Amino acid sequence: LSSNLEPKLALGTVQFGQAYGISNSKGIPSESEIEAILETALANGVDMLDTAPAYGASETILGRLLNISKEFCIVTKTVPLNNNIDNQSPRDSILRAFEQSLARLQTDHVYGLMIHLAEDLLGESGDVVWRTLEEIQTSASAKLIGTSCYTGSELTTILSRYPISLVQAPFNIFDQNLLHKGILADLSAGNVEFHARSIFLQGLAFMSPENLPAGFSS
């Protein structure tokens, strides 16, 4: 999102691999339904997919739908370092997981690679993590590198430390913190591509009040 770019829609794919979402009453769609969703997206100019190793079988399904998914720009994410059960170095853990993502997606490159948990960039291994992303970018395996964030403070700190080219963060009618604090303007000035997450709050924004989970009664 920047002053010289028209906002575009991308398609999140977590529900392709998990029964995800507040408004999700049907669980994981079938592969034929996913193929129809992808075809509908392409027919309407939506040509970017967001996925991650943590999204169940999402990467694998996208890889199987080769003729469809190859027409999309794909953004995926790292495996959080706290999931490193083999005690590999942060660099080796990220590289191995990314190679596995490419294999599942049946491709040799992606449009973007993001750190799934911002704490991996903010922690003591942050510099190593960032150099690993740069190594992947230099190899032409990922065009843009950056991070997924949950809060403006996380993003502000990361922007002060690393020259990221891609960021994903929540932005919707109820949460416009990034706009009001000037962070979106900073991203635009730095030519950082911004991907808004949770724009419909997992479908919450379209649900009838009587169908809301009890936790949202207030």
Side-chain angles (χ1 to χ4, degrees):
L1 182 64
S2 69
S3 58
N4 61 346
L5 289 177
E6 287 294 326
K8 296 182 62 178
L9 288 176
L11 181 64
T13 67
V14 59
Q15 199 167 311
F16 292 179
Q18 294 180 342
Y20 174 88
I22 293 171
S23 62
N24 179 6
S25 61
K26 296 183 178 179
I28 302 172
S30 68
E31 199 157 312
S32 61
E33 288 174 318
I34 292 171
E35 187 169 10
I37 290 170
L38 296 177
E39 289 174 344
T40 300
L42 279 177
N44 288 276
V46 178
D47 61 1
M48 184 169 292
L49 303 175
D50 176 82
T51 190
Y55 294 172
S58 174
E59 288 184 326
T60 300
I61 291 170
L62 292 176
R64 279 205 296 266
L65 298 175
L66 195 61
N67 294 332
I68 296 293
S69 62
K70 286 296 184 184
E71 299 183 60
F72 287 91
C73 295
I74 296 178
V75 176
T76 193
K77 304 177 188 72
T78 60
V79 171
L81 295 181
N82 59 17
N83 288 351
N84 182 12
I85 61 176
D86 295 328
N87 293 319
Q88 295 176 303
S89 68
R91 175 184 178 273
D92 289 345
S93 177
I94 290 171
L95 290 178
R96 179 183 178 188
F98 181 57
E99 289 172 358
Q100 292 171 339
S101 285
L102 293 179
R104 286 190 290 267
L105 291 165
Q106 299 188 35
T107 185
D108 60 2
H109 69 281
V110 292
Y111 179 79
L113 176 64
M114 293 188 289
I115 299 300
H116 204 146
L117 290 183
E119 63 192 54
D120 288 346
L121 270 182
L122 296 171
E124 61 182 18
S125 300
D127 288 351
V128 173
V129 169
W130 179 250
R131 286 196 298 269
T132 305
L133 287 192
E134 290 185 316
E135 182 180 341
I136 290 171
Q137 186 180 41
T138 300
S139 72
S141 297
K143 180 179 178 180
L144 302 181
I145 53 175
T147 187
S148 175
C149 291
Y150 282 95
T151 67
S153 59
E154 285 180 337
L155 181 50
T156 298
T157 302
I158 288 171
L159 286 171
S160 70
R161 295 181 184 178
Y162 306 108
I164 62 175
S165 53
L166 175 65
V167 64
Q168 182 189 87
F171 189 79
N172 54 69
I173 194 169
F174 296 113
D175 180 2
Q176 299 185 26
N177 177 60
L178 300 181
L179 175 66
H180 298 312
K181 291 195 173 183
I183 298 174
L184 287 186
D186 292 339
L187 293 175
S188 179
N191 201 31
V192 180
E193 188 166 305
F194 174 60
H195 290 191
R197 181 177 73 244
S198 303
I199 58 173
F200 301 131
L201 294 164
Q202 299 180 16
L204 179 70
F206 300 118
M207 293 178 69
S208 300
E210 61 269 18
N211 294 328
L212 291 176
F216 292 96
S217 58
S218 61

